[in-house]
Amino acid sequence: MKTFRLDNALPVDTSIPDPSLVVLIGAAGSGKSTWASTWPATQVLELDRFRALVSDDAGCQESTDDAVFALQAVLEARLARRKMTVVDATNCEQTVRANLIATARRHGVPTVALVVPTPASVCVERQEGRPANRRVPEPVVLAQHAAMVDAWSGLPGEGFDHVVVAENLYRLQPLLQRLSDARRAELGWDGGEGLGDLLLVRRYFGPEILPMWRWRDASVLAGGDRVAEIRLGADHIVLAQRNDVDGAGDVGFEVLVGCAADDECEGQAWAPVYNVTDLLRALTGELMNDPDVRCTVHGGADDVDQEADDHDLQADDPEGRADLEAQYADAVSA
C-alpha cells in the first residue's frame, strides 16, 4: 500500500483562481465530494450525478462513457463562458486529466489539481457505509489511491497551473457563508419574505413539498388547529398543525386518514407524520393501521381493542353478565 508524502518535491500552493477548472484527484471515499460542496452546486460537475442522469443509477459503471460524454458537453459550455468549474471524480488516470487540461486550455481557463490524499485504509473503510450501487471494491480503491500517489509529483509537468493539497486549503468559510446566506433567506433575515409559516413545513417534509402546500385557514376540521392541504392533480392529503403535541407544548403535524375501526365512520381519524415517507404511507393507506392513529369517534387502537374485548365478553354471556365472581355467587345461592 503506497503512502502519500507531502515533501519538498513540490512548492506549497493554495491558489485557486476564479474562474478556473478545479480537478479533484483522489480515490473513492477520500472525501472529494465534501470538498466539492464548498463550491456552489451549479459549479460542480460530479461524474456520479451524470451517471444517474443518463441511467437512473449513480453507480452504473456501464453508463460511464455516456456520463463522461454528457459531463464533457457541460464542461465545454461552462468554460466557454469562463465559469468556475469543479470536476468531482476520481481523476486518477493521466489520460482523463490530460483531456480536462486540454479543454481548459482551449478556453483560456487556468487549471488547478486539487489532491485529496486521504489514507487508503480510510477510503476502504468508508465504502462499508455506502449503498450497494455506490460501493467500490477494495482492490479498485487501492489501485486508485496508488495511482494518485504516483501522479502527485508529476502533476505540474502534466500542465496544471496550480497543484493544491486539500490539507492546505481554507474552504470552510465559503461553505458556511453559502449555508448562512440560504438560511437567512429562509428566515427572511436578508430583507425578503422568507419561508414564513412554511419554514416548519420544509423542516419536516423538504423543499419539494412547498409548491403543493396550501393552508386552509377557514377549515374547522381539526378542532381549531390549523389545517393544510397537499394537492397535485387528483391526489390530495389533508393535514393539521398541532401546537400542543402530547400536552407538552411541542409543534408537529398529523394527517387525516381513514378510520381503521369502521369503514363507514363519519368521524375524523388522525395519524402523526414526521417526514415525507409518512406522507407516502398516508396516501397509500398504509398509515391508517398505525397504532398511533386516533379517531374522533372510536379513539385510538387501545380503545378499539377494549371495545372489541367488551363485545366478545357480552357475546359469551347471554345475560349480559361479564363479572365471573357475580355469576359464581348466584350459582352458590341458588
Side-chain angles (χ1 to χ4, degrees):
M1 185 182 300
K2 296 188 176 182
T3 302
F4 179 87
R5 299 186 184 281
L6 183 59
D7 52 27
N8 295 325
L10 293 178
V12 175
D13 191 352
T14 58
S15 301
I16 300 181
D18 189 353
S20 64
L21 171 61
V22 178
V23 179
L24 288 161
I25 304 173
S30 61
K32 299 182 302 300
S33 293
T34 299
W35 283 100
S37 70
T38 67
W39 281 273
T42 56
Q43 297 180 2
V44 178
L45 306 184
E46 182 186 13
L47 184 57
D48 283 350
R49 174 61 177 159
F50 280 89
R51 286 195 186 100
L53 287 173
V54 300
S55 71
D56 290 332
D57 183 356
C60 178
Q61 298 302 311
E62 295 179 356
S63 68
T64 297
D65 289 345
D66 290 335
V68 170
F69 179 83
L71 186 153
Q72 181 69 24
V74 177
L75 177 63
E76 294 275 4
R78 289 190 60 83
L79 296 185
R81 291 171 173 78
R82 299 188 62 78
K83 294 294 184 180
M84 185 75 186
T85 306
V86 179
V87 177
D88 181 7
T90 57
N91 297 316
C92 291
E93 298 178 6
Q94 195 276 330
T95 54
V96 172
R97 297 191 297 270
N99 179 67
L100 293 172
I101 293 171
T103 303
R105 283 180 175 171
R106 283 198 300 273
H107 299 286
V109 175
T111 54
V112 179
L114 175 48
V115 182
V116 187
T118 305
S121 58
V122 176
C123 297
V124 170
E125 182 180 352
R126 287 175 176 172
Q127 303 306 314
E128 297 178 2
R130 292 185 168 186
N133 68 330
R134 301 289 295 275
R135 197 175 300 138
V136 181
E138 179 175 346
V140 176
V141 175
L142 295 179
Q144 292 172 346
H145 189 273
M148 178 272 297
V149 174
D150 288 340
W152 155 244
S153 61
L155 292 175
E158 291 183 14
F160 282 103
D161 299 299
H162 304 275
V163 178
V164 180
V165 179
E167 296 170 351
N168 294 329
L169 284 181
Y170 296 90
R171 294 291 304 171
L172 185 57
Q173 181 175 342
L175 173 61
L176 294 180
Q177 183 66 57
R178 181 162 53 82
L179 297 177
S180 173
D181 291 344
R183 185 60 173 168
R184 289 174 61 84
E186 288 181 355
L187 297 173
W189 293 355
D190 62 345
E193 295 182 359
L195 288 177
D197 54 10
L198 291 177
L199 186 62
L200 187 65
V201 177
R202 174 170 179 158
R203 185 178 302 166
Y204 267 73
F205 308 120
E208 296 83 2
I209 294 297
L210 301 186
M212 298 175 285
W213 186 279
R214 295 291 182 274
W215 292 107
R216 292 168 45 177
D217 288 327
S219 175
V220 295
L221 188 64
D225 286 336
R226 200 174 189 189
V227 175
E229 181 183 65
I230 298 172
R231 179 175 289 276
L232 182 63
D235 290 322
H236 74 283
I237 302 173
V238 177
L239 301 99
Q241 179 178 313
R242 304 302 190 184
N243 298 318
D244 190 18
V245 178
D246 295 331
D250 296 328
V251 179
F253 291 96
E254 290 185 333
V255 63
L256 187 65
V257 296
C259 178
D262 185 352
D263 292 340
E264 299 181 0
C265 177
E266 296 182 357
Q268 290 85 42
W270 297 94
V273 287
Y274 304 98
N275 49 53
V276 71
T277 300
D278 288 340
L279 295 181
L280 174 61
R281 295 175 63 214
L283 186 63
T284 60
E286 181 184 349
L287 198 62
M288 184 175 71
N289 298 313
D290 191 281
D292 291 328
V293 172
R294 291 199 63 83
C295 175
T296 54
V297 173
H298 295 91
D302 293 341
D303 300 317
V304 173
D305 291 342
Q306 184 61 53
E307 182 179 334
D309 290 343
D310 292 345
H311 179 272
D312 291 341
L313 286 172
Q314 292 293 334
D316 292 339
D317 183 359
E319 299 182 11
R321 295 174 300 175
D323 189 336
L324 297 179
E325 292 184 1
Q327 292 183 47
Y328 176 76
D330 290 344
V332 170
S333 61

